[in-house]
Amino acid sequence: GDSVTQMEGPVTLSEEAFLTINCTYTATGYPSLFWYVQYPGEGLQLLLKATKADDKGSNKGFEATYRKETTSFHLEKGSVQVSDSAVYFCALSGFQGAQKLVFGQGTRLTINP
Amino acid sequence: DTGVSQDPRHKITKRGQNVTFRCDPISEHNRLYWYRQTLGQGPEFLTYFQNEAQLEKSRLLSDRFSAERPKGSFSTLEIQRTEQGDSAMYLCASSLSVGEKLFFGSGTQLSVL
């Protein structure tokens, strides 16, 4: 079945460092890909998405490109801030009609001032 | 837009007891989803509704689990004869329609002693 594998955490960086969180997927067909973020004490929020190969999703300085040839959707940010500390989840939706999401295990990110 | 509301935030119960959780989606959202998240893992899909119709159930949803969405508004998730393995965060999400963004609630944390 469909699955998502994320870079294991936790990840700790200093403010203004470059961030990469790796995500690869296995799916039949052409899934949509997502990054969700969970800030402490809050619900999951959609950070960005891409619906077809070579699409780039971006939001709040974060970017991820849908790479079909490597089945990857790595999350990047050029300069992280303390406020980016959260748990990040990569996810896919294999069936457009149901929009049932398959999540990775999550990566906890801590940014130190 | 008041967001997706879940009640209670925390529930502690003894093994063998029945529990019921409630989810109030964003007004006019037709689709409602239930997910379960265990510590250190990503959310796993349980079931979803289109209005009042339950359209898909995961194999994770054993016979002890039942979900309803009367009149296509709020939803309840009941677990009968709880087991320690049911301890998890139960998340609810809603979306306006097919292909639209999912909005998640903050979840109900269930602890089965």
Side-chain angles (χ1 to χ4, degrees), chain A residues 32-37 43-49 91-103, chain B residues 1 3-4 6 23 25-26 29-36 43-50 91-106:
Chain A
S32 295
L33 302 174
F34 307 83
W35 277 99
Y36 277 80
V37 59
L44 282 162
Q45 302 174 24
L46 178 64
L47 180 60
L48 53 84
K49 72 175 185 181
L92 68 81
S93 173
F95 299 95
Q96 189 65 23
Q99 208 172 9
K100 179 178 69 178
L101 293 169
V102 176
F103 286 88
Chain B
D1 182 351
V4 177
Q6 292 190 245
C23 171
I26 293 172
H29 276 198
N30 296 322
R31 294 210 161 197
L32 186 146
Y33 304 79
W34 285 99
Y35 285 79
R36 181 173 69 186
E44 296 173 295
F45 171 81
L46 293 179
T47 187
Y48 88 95
F49 293 83
Q50 169 76 30
L91 300 172
C92 178
S94 69
S95 67
L96 189 58
S97 64
V98 171
E100 294 293 324
K101 174 181 170 181
L102 263 66
F103 292 82
F104 281 83
S106 297

Short mmCIF file of all heavy atoms in Angstrom, two decimals, chain A residues 32-37 43-49 91-103, chain B residues 1 3-4 6 23 25-26 29-36 43-50 91-106:
data_model
loop_
_atom_site.label_atom_id
_atom_site.label_comp_id
_atom_site.label_asym_id
_atom_site.label_seq_id
_atom_site.Cartn_x
_atom_site.Cartn_y
_atom_site.Cartn_z
N SER A 32 -1.04 13.27 -4.61
CA SER A 32 -0.74 14.63 -4.19
C SER A 32 0.13 14.53 -2.94
O SER A 32 -0.02 13.61 -2.14
CB SER A 32 -2.02 15.40 -3.88
OG SER A 32 -2.80 15.57 -5.04
N LEU A 33 1.02 15.50 -2.75
CA LEU A 33 1.96 15.47 -1.63
C LEU A 33 1.80 16.71 -0.77
O LEU A 33 1.53 17.80 -1.29
CB LEU A 33 3.39 15.36 -2.15
CG LEU A 33 3.69 14.14 -3.02
CD1 LEU A 33 5.10 14.23 -3.59
CD2 LEU A 33 3.52 12.85 -2.22
N PHE A 34 1.99 16.53 0.53
CA PHE A 34 1.73 17.59 1.49
C PHE A 34 2.81 17.62 2.57
O PHE A 34 3.41 16.59 2.90
CB PHE A 34 0.38 17.36 2.21
CG PHE A 34 -0.79 17.15 1.30
CD1 PHE A 34 -1.06 15.90 0.75
CD2 PHE A 34 -1.64 18.20 0.99
CE1 PHE A 34 -2.14 15.69 -0.08
CE2 PHE A 34 -2.73 18.01 0.16
CZ PHE A 34 -2.98 16.75 -0.38
N TRP A 35 3.01 18.80 3.14
CA TRP A 35 3.70 18.94 4.41
C TRP A 35 2.72 19.61 5.38
O TRP A 35 2.14 20.65 5.08
CB TRP A 35 4.97 19.79 4.29
CG TRP A 35 6.15 19.00 3.81
CD1 TRP A 35 6.65 18.94 2.54
CD2 TRP A 35 6.97 18.15 4.60
NE1 TRP A 35 7.72 18.10 2.50
CE2 TRP A 35 7.95 17.60 3.75
CE3 TRP A 35 6.98 17.79 5.96
CZ2 TRP A 35 8.94 16.72 4.20
CZ3 TRP A 35 7.95 16.93 6.41
CH2 TRP A 35 8.93 16.39 5.53
N TYR A 36 2.55 18.94 6.54
CA TYR A 36 1.76 19.50 7.62
C TYR A 36 2.69 19.83 8.78
O TYR A 36 3.72 19.19 8.97
CB TYR A 36 0.70 18.49 8.11
CG TYR A 36 -0.56 18.47 7.28
CD1 TYR A 36 -0.61 17.78 6.07
CD2 TYR A 36 -1.70 19.15 7.69
CE1 TYR A 36 -1.76 17.77 5.30
CE2 TYR A 36 -2.85 19.15 6.94
CZ TYR A 36 -2.87 18.46 5.74
OH TYR A 36 -4.03 18.46 4.99
N VAL A 37 2.29 20.83 9.58
CA VAL A 37 3.08 21.23 10.73
C VAL A 37 2.18 21.24 11.96
O VAL A 37 1.00 21.58 11.89
CB VAL A 37 3.73 22.61 10.51
CG1 VAL A 37 2.70 23.69 10.24
CG2 VAL A 37 4.62 23.00 11.68
N GLY A 43 -3.45 22.06 16.62
CA GLY A 43 -3.77 21.01 15.67
C GLY A 43 -2.87 21.08 14.44
O GLY A 43 -2.17 22.06 14.20
N LEU A 44 -2.89 20.01 13.68
CA LEU A 44 -2.12 19.96 12.43
C LEU A 44 -2.59 21.05 11.48
O LEU A 44 -3.79 21.28 11.33
CB LEU A 44 -2.33 18.61 11.75
CG LEU A 44 -1.57 17.42 12.31
CD1 LEU A 44 -2.21 16.13 11.83
CD2 LEU A 44 -0.13 17.48 11.88
N GLN A 45 -1.62 21.67 10.81
CA GLN A 45 -1.95 22.71 9.84
C GLN A 45 -1.24 22.39 8.54
O GLN A 45 -0.08 21.98 8.55
CB GLN A 45 -1.46 24.08 10.32
CG GLN A 45 -2.00 24.54 11.64
CD GLN A 45 -1.34 25.83 12.07
OE1 GLN A 45 -0.84 26.61 11.27
NE2 GLN A 45 -1.35 26.07 13.38
N LEU A 46 -1.93 22.60 7.44
CA LEU A 46 -1.30 22.42 6.15
C LEU A 46 -0.25 23.51 5.94
O LEU A 46 -0.54 24.70 6.06
CB LEU A 46 -2.34 22.50 5.03
CG LEU A 46 -1.80 22.37 3.62
CD1 LEU A 46 -1.18 21.00 3.39
CD2 LEU A 46 -2.92 22.63 2.60
N LEU A 47 0.97 23.09 5.62
CA LEU A 47 2.05 24.04 5.39
C LEU A 47 2.18 24.33 3.88
O LEU A 47 2.22 25.48 3.47
CB LEU A 47 3.37 23.49 5.93
CG LEU A 47 4.61 24.36 5.76
CD1 LEU A 47 4.44 25.70 6.46
CD2 LEU A 47 5.85 23.64 6.29
N LEU A 48 2.23 23.26 3.09
CA LEU A 48 2.30 23.44 1.64
C LEU A 48 1.93 22.12 0.97
O LEU A 48 1.89 21.07 1.61
CB LEU A 48 3.69 23.89 1.20
CG LEU A 48 4.90 23.08 1.65
CD1 LEU A 48 5.13 21.90 0.74
CD2 LEU A 48 6.16 23.94 1.69
N LYS A 49 1.66 22.22 -0.34
CA LYS A 49 1.29 21.01 -1.08
C LYS A 49 1.73 21.13 -2.52
O LYS A 49 2.02 22.22 -3.02
CB LYS A 49 -0.22 20.78 -1.01
CG LYS A 49 -1.05 21.76 -1.82
CD LYS A 49 -2.52 21.37 -1.79
CE LYS A 49 -3.34 22.25 -2.71
NZ LYS A 49 -4.78 21.90 -2.68
N ALA A 91 3.03 13.92 3.96
CA ALA A 91 1.85 13.09 3.74
C ALA A 91 1.53 13.01 2.25
O ALA A 91 1.95 13.88 1.47
CB ALA A 91 0.64 13.66 4.50
N LEU A 92 0.80 11.99 1.88
CA LEU A 92 0.33 11.88 0.51
C LEU A 92 -1.14 11.54 0.50
O LEU A 92 -1.69 10.98 1.45
CB LEU A 92 1.14 10.85 -0.27
CG LEU A 92 1.05 9.37 0.07
CD1 LEU A 92 -0.19 8.70 -0.54
CD2 LEU A 92 2.28 8.64 -0.45
N SER A 93 -1.76 11.90 -0.59
CA SER A 93 -3.15 11.54 -0.83
C SER A 93 -3.19 10.79 -2.14
O SER A 93 -2.95 11.36 -3.20
CB SER A 93 -4.02 12.80 -0.90
OG SER A 93 -5.33 12.47 -1.29
N GLY A 94 -3.50 9.50 -2.04
CA GLY A 94 -3.42 8.67 -3.23
C GLY A 94 -4.67 8.67 -4.07
O GLY A 94 -4.66 8.35 -5.23
N PHE A 95 -5.78 9.06 -3.43
CA PHE A 95 -7.05 9.02 -4.13
C PHE A 95 -7.71 10.37 -4.02
O PHE A 95 -8.15 10.77 -2.96
CB PHE A 95 -7.96 7.95 -3.54
CG PHE A 95 -7.39 6.57 -3.65
CD1 PHE A 95 -6.69 6.01 -2.62
CD2 PHE A 95 -7.54 5.84 -4.82
CE1 PHE A 95 -6.14 4.75 -2.71
CE2 PHE A 95 -7.01 4.57 -4.93
CZ PHE A 95 -6.31 4.02 -3.87
N GLN A 96 -7.77 11.08 -5.08
CA GLN A 96 -8.25 12.45 -5.05
C GLN A 96 -9.65 12.55 -4.48
O GLN A 96 -10.00 13.47 -3.77
CB GLN A 96 -8.23 13.04 -6.47
CG GLN A 96 -8.51 14.52 -6.53
CD GLN A 96 -7.44 15.34 -5.86
OE1 GLN A 96 -6.32 14.90 -5.70
NE2 GLN A 96 -7.78 16.54 -5.43
N GLY A 97 -10.46 11.53 -4.76
CA GLY A 97 -11.84 11.61 -4.31
C GLY A 97 -11.97 11.53 -2.81
O GLY A 97 -12.77 12.24 -2.21
N ALA A 98 -11.22 10.65 -2.18
CA ALA A 98 -11.36 10.48 -0.74
C ALA A 98 -10.51 11.46 0.04
O ALA A 98 -10.82 11.80 1.15
CB ALA A 98 -10.99 9.05 -0.35
N GLN A 99 -9.43 11.87 -0.56
CA GLN A 99 -8.47 12.72 0.13
C GLN A 99 -8.04 12.12 1.46
O GLN A 99 -7.85 12.81 2.45
CB GLN A 99 -9.03 14.12 0.37
CG GLN A 99 -7.94 15.17 0.44
CD GLN A 99 -8.48 16.57 0.50
OE1 GLN A 99 -9.67 16.80 0.64
NE2 GLN A 99 -7.60 17.53 0.38
N LYS A 100 -7.92 10.80 1.48
CA LYS A 100 -7.43 10.11 2.65
C LYS A 100 -5.93 10.29 2.70
O LYS A 100 -5.23 9.91 1.77
CB LYS A 100 -7.80 8.62 2.55
CG LYS A 100 -7.34 7.78 3.70
CD LYS A 100 -7.79 6.35 3.52
CE LYS A 100 -7.09 5.66 2.38
NZ LYS A 100 -7.51 4.26 2.24
N LEU A 101 -5.44 10.86 3.76
CA LEU A 101 -4.02 11.15 3.87
C LEU A 101 -3.26 10.00 4.51
O LEU A 101 -3.72 9.41 5.49
CB LEU A 101 -3.81 12.42 4.71
CG LEU A 101 -4.31 13.72 4.09
CD1 LEU A 101 -4.29 14.84 5.12
CD2 LEU A 101 -3.49 14.09 2.88
N VAL A 102 -2.09 9.70 3.95
CA VAL A 102 -1.15 8.76 4.55
C VAL A 102 0.04 9.60 5.03
O VAL A 102 0.68 10.28 4.22
CB VAL A 102 -0.70 7.70 3.53
CG1 VAL A 102 0.36 6.80 4.14
CG2 VAL A 102 -1.89 6.89 3.04
N PHE A 103 0.33 9.53 6.33
CA PHE A 103 1.35 10.38 6.93
C PHE A 103 2.65 9.61 7.19
O PHE A 103 2.64 8.40 7.45
CB PHE A 103 0.87 10.91 8.29
CG PHE A 103 -0.16 12.00 8.20
CD1 PHE A 103 -1.51 11.69 8.14
CD2 PHE A 103 0.22 13.33 8.21
CE1 PHE A 103 -2.47 12.69 8.07
CE2 PHE A 103 -0.73 14.34 8.15
CZ PHE A 103 -2.07 14.01 8.08
N ASP B 1 -15.29 31.72 11.28
CA ASP B 1 -14.63 30.40 11.20
C ASP B 1 -14.00 30.09 12.55
O ASP B 1 -12.96 30.62 12.90
CB ASP B 1 -13.57 30.45 10.11
CG ASP B 1 -12.87 29.11 9.93
OD1 ASP B 1 -13.10 28.21 10.78
OD2 ASP B 1 -12.11 28.96 8.98
N GLY B 3 -13.01 27.06 13.57
CA GLY B 3 -12.13 25.91 13.54
C GLY B 3 -12.85 24.63 13.93
O GLY B 3 -14.02 24.64 14.33
N VAL B 4 -12.13 23.53 13.83
CA VAL B 4 -12.67 22.23 14.21
C VAL B 4 -12.52 22.07 15.71
O VAL B 4 -11.42 22.27 16.26
CB VAL B 4 -11.92 21.10 13.47
CG1 VAL B 4 -12.44 19.74 13.93
CG2 VAL B 4 -12.07 21.26 11.96
N GLN B 6 -12.98 19.73 19.20
CA GLN B 6 -13.08 18.35 19.69
C GLN B 6 -13.26 18.37 21.20
O GLN B 6 -12.65 19.18 21.91
CB GLN B 6 -11.84 17.54 19.33
CG GLN B 6 -11.73 17.29 17.83
CD GLN B 6 -10.63 16.30 17.52
OE1 GLN B 6 -9.65 16.64 16.88
NE2 GLN B 6 -10.82 15.05 17.94
N CYS B 23 -16.83 15.58 17.75
CA CYS B 23 -16.14 16.50 16.86
C CYS B 23 -17.16 17.43 16.22
O CYS B 23 -18.15 16.97 15.64
CB CYS B 23 -15.39 15.74 15.78
SG CYS B 23 -14.71 16.80 14.48
N PRO B 25 -17.24 20.01 13.24
CA PRO B 25 -16.44 20.51 12.11
C PRO B 25 -16.71 21.99 11.87
O PRO B 25 -17.61 22.58 12.49
CB PRO B 25 -16.95 19.67 10.94
CG PRO B 25 -18.38 19.40 11.29
CD PRO B 25 -18.40 19.24 12.79
N ILE B 26 -15.95 22.55 10.97
CA ILE B 26 -16.22 23.92 10.55
C ILE B 26 -17.57 23.94 9.84
O ILE B 26 -17.89 23.03 9.06
CB ILE B 26 -15.09 24.42 9.63
CG1 ILE B 26 -13.79 24.54 10.44
CG2 ILE B 26 -15.45 25.75 8.99
CD1 ILE B 26 -12.56 24.84 9.63
N HIS B 29 -18.79 22.51 6.24
CA HIS B 29 -17.85 21.52 5.70
C HIS B 29 -18.57 20.19 5.54
O HIS B 29 -19.11 19.64 6.50
CB HIS B 29 -16.64 21.37 6.63
CG HIS B 29 -15.59 22.40 6.39
ND1 HIS B 29 -14.29 22.25 6.83
CD2 HIS B 29 -15.64 23.58 5.73
CE1 HIS B 29 -13.59 23.30 6.44
NE2 HIS B 29 -14.38 24.13 5.79
N ASN B 30 -18.55 19.66 4.31
CA ASN B 30 -19.27 18.44 4.03
C ASN B 30 -18.52 17.19 4.44
O ASN B 30 -19.11 16.17 4.74
CB ASN B 30 -19.58 18.35 2.53
CG ASN B 30 -20.51 19.47 2.08
OD1 ASN B 30 -21.41 19.84 2.82
ND2 ASN B 30 -20.27 20.00 0.91
N ARG B 31 -17.22 17.26 4.42
CA ARG B 31 -16.41 16.07 4.70
C ARG B 31 -15.84 16.14 6.11
O ARG B 31 -15.36 17.19 6.55
CB ARG B 31 -15.29 15.95 3.68
CG ARG B 31 -15.83 15.68 2.29
CD ARG B 31 -14.86 14.88 1.46
NE ARG B 31 -15.55 14.26 0.34
CZ ARG B 31 -15.06 13.27 -0.36
NH1 ARG B 31 -13.89 12.77 -0.04
NH2 ARG B 31 -15.74 12.76 -1.35
N LEU B 32 -15.89 14.98 6.77
CA LEU B 32 -15.37 14.90 8.13
C LEU B 32 -14.56 13.61 8.26
O LEU B 32 -15.01 12.54 7.81
CB LEU B 32 -16.52 14.91 9.15
CG LEU B 32 -16.13 14.98 10.63
CD1 LEU B 32 -17.17 15.78 11.41
CD2 LEU B 32 -15.92 13.62 11.23
N TYR B 33 -13.39 13.71 8.84
CA TYR B 33 -12.45 12.60 8.92
C TYR B 33 -12.07 12.35 10.38
O TYR B 33 -11.95 13.28 11.17
CB TYR B 33 -11.16 12.92 8.16
CG TYR B 33 -11.35 13.29 6.71
CD1 TYR B 33 -11.77 14.56 6.35
CD2 TYR B 33 -11.09 12.37 5.70
CE1 TYR B 33 -11.94 14.91 5.03
CE2 TYR B 33 -11.25 12.71 4.37
CZ TYR B 33 -11.67 13.98 4.04
OH TYR B 33 -11.84 14.32 2.73
N TRP B 34 -11.82 11.08 10.69
CA TRP B 34 -11.24 10.69 11.97
C TRP B 34 -9.89 10.01 11.70
O TRP B 34 -9.78 9.14 10.84
CB TRP B 34 -12.14 9.73 12.74
CG TRP B 34 -13.34 10.37 13.37
CD1 TRP B 34 -14.62 10.38 12.89
CD2 TRP B 34 -13.38 11.07 14.62
NE1 TRP B 34 -15.45 11.05 13.75
CE2 TRP B 34 -14.72 11.48 14.82
CE3 TRP B 34 -12.43 11.38 15.59
CZ2 TRP B 34 -15.11 12.18 15.96
CZ3 TRP B 34 -12.82 12.08 16.71
CH2 TRP B 34 -14.15 12.48 16.89
N TYR B 35 -8.88 10.43 12.50
CA TYR B 35 -7.56 9.83 12.45
C TYR B 35 -7.15 9.48 13.87
O TYR B 35 -7.64 10.05 14.85
CB TYR B 35 -6.52 10.82 11.90
CG TYR B 35 -6.59 11.05 10.40
CD1 TYR B 35 -7.54 11.89 9.84
CD2 TYR B 35 -5.68 10.41 9.55
CE1 TYR B 35 -7.59 12.09 8.47
CE2 TYR B 35 -5.73 10.60 8.18
CZ TYR B 35 -6.68 11.45 7.65
OH TYR B 35 -6.73 11.65 6.29
N ARG B 36 -6.21 8.57 13.97
CA ARG B 36 -5.64 8.20 15.27
C ARG B 36 -4.13 8.38 15.20
O ARG B 36 -3.49 7.99 14.21
CB ARG B 36 -5.98 6.75 15.63
CG ARG B 36 -5.44 6.30 16.97
CD ARG B 36 -5.95 4.93 17.32
NE ARG B 36 -5.41 3.90 16.47
CZ ARG B 36 -5.80 2.63 16.52
NH1 ARG B 36 -6.76 2.25 17.37
NH2 ARG B 36 -5.26 1.74 15.73
N PRO B 43 -0.39 10.55 12.07
CA PRO B 43 -1.80 10.15 12.15
C PRO B 43 -2.12 9.03 11.16
O PRO B 43 -1.55 8.98 10.06
CB PRO B 43 -2.54 11.44 11.77
CG PRO B 43 -1.58 12.53 12.06
CD PRO B 43 -0.23 11.97 11.76
N GLU B 44 -3.03 8.15 11.57
CA GLU B 44 -3.50 7.06 10.71
C GLU B 44 -4.99 7.23 10.48
O GLU B 44 -5.76 7.46 11.42
CB GLU B 44 -3.25 5.70 11.37
CG GLU B 44 -1.79 5.36 11.58
CD GLU B 44 -1.65 4.08 12.39
OE1 GLU B 44 -2.06 4.08 13.56
OE2 GLU B 44 -1.14 3.10 11.83
N PHE B 45 -5.39 7.09 9.23
CA PHE B 45 -6.79 7.26 8.85
C PHE B 45 -7.66 6.19 9.48
O PHE B 45 -7.31 5.00 9.48
CB PHE B 45 -6.89 7.19 7.32
CG PHE B 45 -8.28 7.13 6.79
CD1 PHE B 45 -9.04 8.27 6.66
CD2 PHE B 45 -8.84 5.91 6.41
CE1 PHE B 45 -10.34 8.21 6.17
CE2 PHE B 45 -10.13 5.84 5.92
CZ PHE B 45 -10.88 6.99 5.79
N LEU B 46 -8.81 6.62 10.01
CA LEU B 46 -9.79 5.67 10.55
C LEU B 46 -11.04 5.58 9.68
O LEU B 46 -11.47 4.50 9.30
CB LEU B 46 -10.19 6.08 11.97
CG LEU B 46 -9.10 6.00 13.05
CD1 LEU B 46 -9.66 6.48 14.38
CD2 LEU B 46 -8.56 4.58 13.16
N THR B 47 -11.65 6.74 9.41
CA THR B 47 -12.91 6.73 8.67
C THR B 47 -13.21 8.14 8.20
O THR B 47 -12.61 9.11 8.68
CB THR B 47 -14.06 6.21 9.54
OG1 THR B 47 -15.24 6.05 8.74
CG2 THR B 47 -14.37 7.16 10.69
N TYR B 48 -14.14 8.25 7.21
CA TYR B 48 -14.58 9.58 6.83
C TYR B 48 -16.03 9.58 6.39
O TYR B 48 -16.59 8.55 6.01
CB TYR B 48 -13.66 10.19 5.76
CG TYR B 48 -14.01 9.90 4.32
CD1 TYR B 48 -14.77 10.79 3.56
CD2 TYR B 48 -13.53 8.74 3.70
CE1 TYR B 48 -15.05 10.53 2.24
CE2 TYR B 48 -13.82 8.49 2.37
CZ TYR B 48 -14.57 9.39 1.64
OH TYR B 48 -14.86 9.12 0.33
N PHE B 49 -16.62 10.77 6.47
CA PHE B 49 -18.03 10.98 6.14
C PHE B 49 -18.13 12.05 5.05
O PHE B 49 -17.40 13.03 5.05
CB PHE B 49 -18.81 11.50 7.35
CG PHE B 49 -18.94 10.50 8.46
CD1 PHE B 49 -17.93 10.32 9.38
CD2 PHE B 49 -20.10 9.74 8.59
CE1 PHE B 49 -18.06 9.40 10.41
CE2 PHE B 49 -20.24 8.83 9.61
CZ PHE B 49 -19.22 8.66 10.52
N GLN B 50 -19.07 11.83 4.16
CA GLN B 50 -19.53 12.86 3.25
C GLN B 50 -20.95 13.17 3.71
O GLN B 50 -21.84 12.35 3.57
CB GLN B 50 -19.51 12.35 1.80
CG GLN B 50 -20.21 13.27 0.80
CD GLN B 50 -19.40 14.49 0.45
OE1 GLN B 50 -18.18 14.47 0.47
NE2 GLN B 50 -20.07 15.58 0.13
N LEU B 91 -7.88 12.35 16.33
CA LEU B 91 -7.96 13.62 15.61
C LEU B 91 -9.16 13.64 14.68
O LEU B 91 -9.46 12.65 14.03
CB LEU B 91 -6.70 13.84 14.78
CG LEU B 91 -5.37 13.90 15.51
CD1 LEU B 91 -4.23 13.92 14.52
CD2 LEU B 91 -5.32 15.13 16.40
N CYS B 92 -9.79 14.78 14.61
CA CYS B 92 -10.88 15.00 13.68
C CYS B 92 -10.46 16.09 12.69
O CYS B 92 -9.73 17.03 13.07
CB CYS B 92 -12.13 15.42 14.44
SG CYS B 92 -13.56 15.79 13.41
N ALA B 93 -10.88 15.97 11.47
CA ALA B 93 -10.60 16.98 10.46
C ALA B 93 -11.83 17.17 9.58
O ALA B 93 -12.66 16.25 9.46
CB ALA B 93 -9.40 16.58 9.61
N SER B 94 -11.95 18.33 8.99
CA SER B 94 -13.05 18.56 8.07
C SER B 94 -12.56 19.33 6.85
O SER B 94 -11.50 20.00 6.90
CB SER B 94 -14.20 19.32 8.74
OG SER B 94 -13.85 20.66 9.03
N SER B 95 -13.31 19.20 5.77
CA SER B 95 -12.99 19.95 4.56
C SER B 95 -14.30 20.33 3.88
O SER B 95 -15.34 19.68 4.05
CB SER B 95 -12.10 19.17 3.62
OG SER B 95 -12.78 18.04 3.09
N LEU B 96 -14.22 21.38 3.07
CA LEU B 96 -15.43 21.91 2.43
C LEU B 96 -15.99 20.90 1.42
O LEU B 96 -17.20 20.69 1.33
CB LEU B 96 -15.10 23.23 1.75
CG LEU B 96 -16.27 24.04 1.20
CD1 LEU B 96 -17.26 24.37 2.31
CD2 LEU B 96 -15.77 25.32 0.56
N SER B 97 -15.10 20.26 0.68
CA SER B 97 -15.55 19.29 -0.32
C SER B 97 -14.34 18.51 -0.81
O SER B 97 -13.25 18.65 -0.28
CB SER B 97 -16.25 20.00 -1.49
OG SER B 97 -15.34 20.82 -2.18
N VAL B 98 -14.56 17.70 -1.82
CA VAL B 98 -13.48 16.90 -2.40
C VAL B 98 -12.34 17.80 -2.88
O VAL B 98 -12.57 18.81 -3.53
CB VAL B 98 -14.02 16.10 -3.60
CG1 VAL B 98 -12.91 15.42 -4.36
CG2 VAL B 98 -15.04 15.09 -3.13
N GLY B 99 -11.13 17.40 -2.55
CA GLY B 99 -9.96 18.12 -3.02
C GLY B 99 -9.64 19.39 -2.27
O GLY B 99 -8.64 20.05 -2.56
N GLU B 100 -10.47 19.75 -1.31
CA GLU B 100 -10.21 20.96 -0.53
C GLU B 100 -9.32 20.66 0.67
O GLU B 100 -9.22 19.53 1.14
CB GLU B 100 -11.53 21.58 -0.05
CG GLU B 100 -12.43 22.09 -1.16
CD GLU B 100 -11.82 23.28 -1.87
OE1 GLU B 100 -11.17 24.11 -1.20
OE2 GLU B 100 -11.99 23.38 -3.10
N LYS B 101 -8.73 21.71 1.19
CA LYS B 101 -7.81 21.61 2.32
C LYS B 101 -8.49 21.04 3.55
O LYS B 101 -9.65 21.37 3.84
CB LYS B 101 -7.31 23.02 2.60
CG LYS B 101 -6.45 23.22 3.81
CD LYS B 101 -6.09 24.69 3.90
CE LYS B 101 -5.43 25.04 5.21
NZ LYS B 101 -5.10 26.48 5.28
N LEU B 102 -7.77 20.17 4.28
CA LEU B 102 -8.27 19.62 5.53
C LEU B 102 -7.89 20.54 6.69
O LEU B 102 -6.75 21.01 6.77
CB LEU B 102 -7.66 18.24 5.79
CG LEU B 102 -8.51 17.03 5.38
CD1 LEU B 102 -8.67 16.99 3.88
CD2 LEU B 102 -7.88 15.77 5.90
N PHE B 103 -8.84 20.76 7.59
CA PHE B 103 -8.60 21.51 8.81
C PHE B 103 -8.72 20.53 9.97
O PHE B 103 -9.75 19.85 10.10
CB PHE B 103 -9.61 22.64 8.98
CG PHE B 103 -9.45 23.74 7.97
CD1 PHE B 103 -9.99 23.62 6.70
CD2 PHE B 103 -8.77 24.90 8.29
CE1 PHE B 103 -9.84 24.63 5.75
CE2 PHE B 103 -8.62 25.92 7.37
CZ PHE B 103 -9.15 25.79 6.10
N PHE B 104 -7.67 20.47 10.80
CA PHE B 104 -7.65 19.52 11.91
C PHE B 104 -8.02 20.20 13.22
O PHE B 104 -7.67 21.36 13.46
CB PHE B 104 -6.26 18.90 12.05
CG PHE B 104 -5.97 17.82 11.06
CD1 PHE B 104 -5.52 18.12 9.79
CD2 PHE B 104 -6.15 16.48 11.41
CE1 PHE B 104 -5.25 17.11 8.87
CE2 PHE B 104 -5.88 15.47 10.50
CZ PHE B 104 -5.42 15.79 9.23
N GLY B 105 -8.69 19.42 14.09
CA GLY B 105 -8.88 19.84 15.46
C GLY B 105 -7.64 19.53 16.29
O GLY B 105 -6.69 18.91 15.80
N SER B 106 -7.67 19.92 17.55
CA SER B 106 -6.53 19.71 18.44
C SER B 106 -6.49 18.30 19.01
O SER B 106 -5.49 17.90 19.61
CB SER B 106 -6.54 20.71 19.59
OG SER B 106 -6.42 22.02 19.09
#
